[in-house]
Amino acid sequence: MEQELITSLDQFYNFKVKKCIAGPRQVVAQTYIVEDFSGKQYFCKLIDNPLLIPGIIQTLPVVEQMYLHGIDKICYPIKGNKGLYFYLRNTLVVVFNYIAVNQGVNYDLYLLGSMIAKVHAITDKISIQAPIEKFEFPNYSYFSKTFEETLISESIDDITQQFKKLLQSHETEIRKYVAELMHITDTCKRQQPDLVLTHGDIITNVLVKAPNDVYIIDWDEMRLAPAERDLWRKDESIEFMHGYKSVRPNFIMNKDLRRYCMLQYYFDRMNIYFVEILNPTATNEYRLNRLQRFANGNLAGSNQAKFEDKTL
């Protein structure tokens, strides 16, 4: 795969690959750190999750335009000879600028709040259409089919059976939150709220050089949505919200939209876990890892009806 990837990168981009080193496996992507013969480095992502590829493709030119409009502390796509991405068989390949620092949580909350607000405030300057929040249950047909079939599965696969038992033990609260999300989507649609460019999972996707020098990465789930989508995980922090309102002083939190964004995130992550845990081509070790994270993260959060622990 690596040699095939290097050949494709050489053909698609205006650089020649000298090194291609495997990076950490992300939730939805295999990653590589690529270096050309001038010594410049890039960050390469390979995404094979069919639920996510269409949305990622739509966000890439939006992120590029954000960068060109001054939102520069971000990971942005590099333009190749024929666009911002290519396919390697059924896998989407995207190359980004490389930021040589680690993810972290040791950042200035006021700064992060103001950075998010600047992204929201630039919405009207972006001419390219981002995916739009439709106030719907995310991929409901896939969720419903997979959830119901797993609950009654007679598969001889041991991991599938472990997953079945886990879902059965949480079936009541999952169905409760399904009903709540279905109800609140109608409420939010009627309100017709203002929509801004949102990241969707900004809190954990921060690279930290210093508390006052941070970069926001992984814009794969960008969407025109209520500001609450980027705020609900940190809006109880006075410092964070002061930073946000330093840029958007007239913003007022909407409780219905906040709850909708919280529930939607929960089920969106559940769909991702379903794909990963039930993937017949993945190794058992990887599937078990995803099963454990699902139990300790998504389902642990559901017991509190706040879903504050969502680490994937």
Side-chain angles (χ1 to χ4, degrees):
M1 168 64 88
E2 287 188 20
Q3 186 54 55
E4 188 177 6
L5 174 62
I6 290 171
T7 301
S8 298
L9 290 171
D10 283 344
Q11 293 173 348
F12 192 80
Y13 290 97
N14 294 316
F15 57 75
K16 187 167 179 61
V17 176
K18 180 180 180 181
K19 296 179 183 178
C20 183
I21 303 169
R25 170 74 199 194
Q26 297 182 337
V27 175
V28 299
Q30 177 61 52
T31 67
Y32 293 87
I33 299 170
V34 175
E35 183 179 323
D36 67 15
F37 277 86
S38 73
K40 188 169 183 178
Q41 292 182 308
Y42 304 89
F43 187 68
C44 179
K45 292 175 67 171
L46 281 68
I47 304 105
D48 57 12
N49 188 318
L51 293 178
L52 301 177
I53 287 175
I56 292 172
I57 288 174
Q58 193 175 355
T59 67
L60 294 174
V62 183
V63 179
E64 179 189 40
Q65 200 170 94
M66 281 171 49
Y67 178 74
L68 295 175
H69 277 85
I71 307 296
D72 56 351
K73 295 278 185 141
I74 61 172
C75 190
Y76 59 88
I78 304 299
K79 184 168 286 185
N81 297 319
K82 297 181 180 179
L84 297 173
Y85 66 91
F86 66 90
Y87 278 97
L88 188 58
R89 295 192 292 275
N90 294 322
T91 299
L92 179 71
V93 181
V94 188
V95 171
F96 299 87
N97 61 311
Y98 180 66
I99 305 167
V101 291
N102 295 323
Q103 286 180 251
V105 295
N106 234 355
Y107 45 72
D108 185 301
L109 285 169
Y110 182 96
L111 173 67
L112 185 64
S114 66
M115 289 178 70
I116 294 172
K118 287 174 184 176
V119 173
H120 294 179
I122 204 175
T123 300
D124 291 342
K125 295 183 180 180
I126 303 300
S127 60
I128 297 171
Q129 182 66 66
I132 300 175
E133 178 58 65
K134 298 178 180 178
F135 297 102
E136 297 174 350
F137 192 113
N139 292 302
Y140 178 72
S141 59
Y142 172 78
F143 167 81
S144 180
K145 181 176 184 293
T146 307
F147 181 59
E148 301 297 345
E149 288 182 354
T150 305
L151 285 174
I152 60 173
S153 173
E154 296 182 0
S155 170
I156 61 172
D157 175 64
D158 180 61
I159 297 174
T160 300
Q161 286 303 312
Q162 290 184 52
F163 188 37
K164 171 184 175 179
K165 290 178 181 178
L166 184 63
L167 291 181
Q168 287 176 333
S169 67
H170 291 270
E171 181 180 357
T172 300
E173 67 252 35
I174 291 173
R175 292 193 186 279
K176 171 187 172 183
Y177 294 127
V178 167
E180 184 184 357
L181 180 54
M182 291 294 200
H183 173 74
I184 205 167
T185 54
D186 293 333
T187 301
C188 292
K189 283 179 183 178
R190 289 195 297 270
Q191 293 183 16
Q192 298 183 326
D194 291 334
L195 305 181
V196 295
L197 287 173
T198 61
H199 180 284
D201 193 16
I202 210 164
I203 303 303
T204 57
N205 286 296
V206 178
L207 301 183
V208 183
K209 277 191 177 181
N212 60 352
D213 187 10
V214 302
Y215 298 78
I216 301 171
I217 62 171
D218 287 345
W219 293 86
D220 297 347
E221 299 173 78
M222 171 189 279
R223 193 178 304 157
L224 278 169
E228 286 82 358
R229 184 171 185 250
D230 281 341
L231 302 180
W232 67 268
R233 295 175 69 183
K234 284 292 184 183
D235 62 1
E236 294 177 354
S237 165
I238 294 173
E239 187 179 2
F240 175 83
M241 289 307 298
H242 279 173
Y244 187 83
K245 290 193 174 184
S246 71
V247 178
R248 303 188 76 208
N250 297 323
F251 175 79
I252 299 174
M253 184 71 66
N254 181 301
K255 291 182 179 180
D256 289 334
L257 295 173
R258 184 184 190 277
R259 184 63 175 172
Y260 167 78
C261 292
M262 186 185 297
L263 286 162
Q264 186 206 52
Y265 184 99
Y266 171 65
F267 282 106
D268 205 37
R269 268 29 191 190
M270 190 175 287
N271 278 335
I272 293 173
Y273 278 119
F274 281 8
V275 171
E276 300 288 340
I277 294 168
L278 298 173
N279 182 358
T281 64
T283 66
N284 285 346
E285 180 183 7
Y286 180 76
R287 293 173 64 207
L288 278 171
N289 174 270
R290 305 311 295 159
L291 182 62
Q292 290 164 1
R293 284 178 174 266
F294 178 61
N296 296 330
N298 236 55
L299 289 182
S302 77
N303 289 331
Q304 303 169 21
K306 290 192 69 175
F307 321 125
E308 296 298 343
D309 181 4
K310 297 161 297 300
T311 304
L312 289 175

